[in-house]
Amino acid sequence: YSNFIDDLRVYVRGGSGGMGYPNLGGEGGRGGDVWFVARERTTLKSIREKYPQKRFVAGTGANSSVKALKGEKGKDCEVHVPLGISVLDDDGKQIGELNAAGERFLAARGGLGGSLATNFLPCKGQRRTVHLDLKLIADVGLVGFPNAGKSSLLSKISHAKPEIANYAFTTIQPELGKIMYADYKQISVADLPGLIEGAHTNKGMGHKFLKHVERTKQLLLVVDISGFQLSIKTQFRTAFETILLLTKELELYKEELVKKPALLAINKMDLPCAKDNLDELMTKLENPQDFLHLLEEEIIPANTLEFREVIPISTYTGEGIEELKTCIRKSIDEQAERVNEEYRKKKLLLLQTSK
């Protein structure tokens, strides 16, 4: 992933409580807590650079005294983390999630201060090692095999400037761009590293790529109309087979990914024979079941993706780019309206049941 970090292992420890005052029944202050706080424009890389030891320890509670029978609480430790963080324990179990700016997660609780219940002896704070696992949050995730033209497409529809070259795996780290519309609406698009066959088993960039698809609202599959072949040692795949393979990889990693709303961009329409290939592909997409028997069983997904729109484009000539931007906007707006409608129905149902 080059300089991009999407997983960081850190040590957190709550502060110890303060000593109690046995003679006067005084109570020591509680130890400080360690909090993860979601904040925009923060990266895991910046955390690692700022705190190379990756240790976060909260302050100790104040001792009870004649002047202050109840000691003050220890100072909390706040760690600013990026949006889209899952907090995992050492066993890989998710114990928290931070998706919106300002959200907080208690990573380590401070220990109780000394009191009558503890024989006036303080308790130590909670301590543990946790993983901060980042999954990019974007409206649209570009999905495709290497050299399908995802990076070129991102540079055409947004202000992002990803590295582009004519060899596989140009994209070695996720790139985020924003489509800007005339009415100032912004839609975020993530260009994610190219999949290869067997990505669900962690081949290539495997899980490093697929986990970022989970947080995108919609998928935009980008497929080369002339087909795809990773190397001379691998099998050539037609555009139709490419779509099935991409669907299969998503499905094998996590079945819910295939249920996301999806658009299909057919790229490189400037190539010779592209029109004939497109006609053949559209015929197969209209009735995919009629052609599945001609393919190997291992590349056929259990469920085929249903595309809201199929848009032929050329990132070289600019053909279809504006139409694609319009389709993305329409699809995102329709999804937002459906979510709002479902929310309204739930609120109405709650009001009716409470009455």
Side-chain angles (χ1 to χ4, degrees), residues 62-81:
N63 295 335
S64 172
S65 66
V66 175
K67 291 182 180 179
L69 287 178
K70 186 169 175 63
E72 285 189 13
K73 184 177 183 289
K75 189 179 179 183
D76 287 348
C77 172
E78 286 195 356
V79 186
H80 296 146
V81 298

Side-chain angles (χ1 to χ4, degrees), residues 238-257:
T238 64
F240 180 61
E241 289 174 325
T242 301
I243 293 165
L244 293 177
L245 269 167
L246 288 169
T247 309
K248 181 85 173 177
E249 290 301 332
L250 293 171
E251 183 182 73
L252 288 171
Y253 175 73
K254 196 163 277 190
E255 210 171 321
E256 305 90 82
L257 296 182

Side-chain angles (χ1 to χ4, degrees), residues 12 84 101 131 154 244 279 284 298 309 323-324 336:
V12 289
H131 289 262
L154 186 69
L244 293 177
D279 292 339
K284 290 179 176 178
E298 61 267 18
E309 297 278 352
E323 185 191 347
L324 176 61

Side-chain angles (χ1 to χ4, degrees), residues 182-193:
D183 61 352
Y184 303 107
K185 167 84 173 180
Q186 296 182 20
I187 291 176
S188 56
V189 182
D191 170 25
L192 305 162

Side-chain angles (χ1 to χ4, degrees), residues 109-249:
R109 189 179 292 279
L112 293 172
S115 65
L116 185 63
T118 63
N119 204 20
F120 297 99
L121 295 173
C123 299
K124 288 184 177 179
Q126 184 182 12
R127 60 183 72 194
R128 59 182 170 182
T129 303
V130 295
H131 289 262
L132 300 177
D133 187 44
L134 176 68
K135 294 174 185 173
L136 289 178
I137 298 176
D139 296 313
V140 179
L142 301 184
V143 178
F145 283 135
N147 271 22
K150 300 188 304 304
S151 298
S152 300
L153 177 59
L154 186 69
S155 67
K156 287 281 184 185
I157 63 177
S158 75
H159 297 297
K161 292 181 172 59
E163 185 185 340
I164 299 165
N166 61 349
Y167 52 83
F169 293 121
T170 307
T171 307
I172 56 171
Q173 64 184 48
E175 292 276 357
L176 274 173
K178 283 192 176 178
I179 309 176
M180 310 287 286
Y181 292 91
D183 61 352
Y184 303 107
K185 167 84 173 180
Q186 296 182 20
I187 291 176
S188 56
V189 182
D191 170 25
L192 305 162
L195 282 168
I196 61 168
E197 288 184 51
H200 69 279
T201 60
N202 222 9
K203 285 185 182 174
M205 299 199 176
H207 293 175
K208 278 186 176 288
F209 161 83
L210 287 162
K211 75 172 185 178
H212 291 298
V213 183
E214 292 181 52
R215 293 285 175 91
T216 56
K217 293 177 186 173
Q218 300 198 3
L219 304 178
L220 173 58
L221 267 68
V222 185
V223 173
D224 186 335
I225 188 59
S226 57
F228 170 71
Q229 187 173 17
L230 184 64
S231 70
I232 53 171
K233 294 178 182 178
T234 58
Q235 195 171 338
F236 173 79
R237 299 296 188 187
T238 64
F240 180 61
E241 289 174 325
T242 301
I243 293 165
L244 293 177
L245 269 167
L246 288 169
T247 309
K248 181 85 173 177
E249 290 301 332

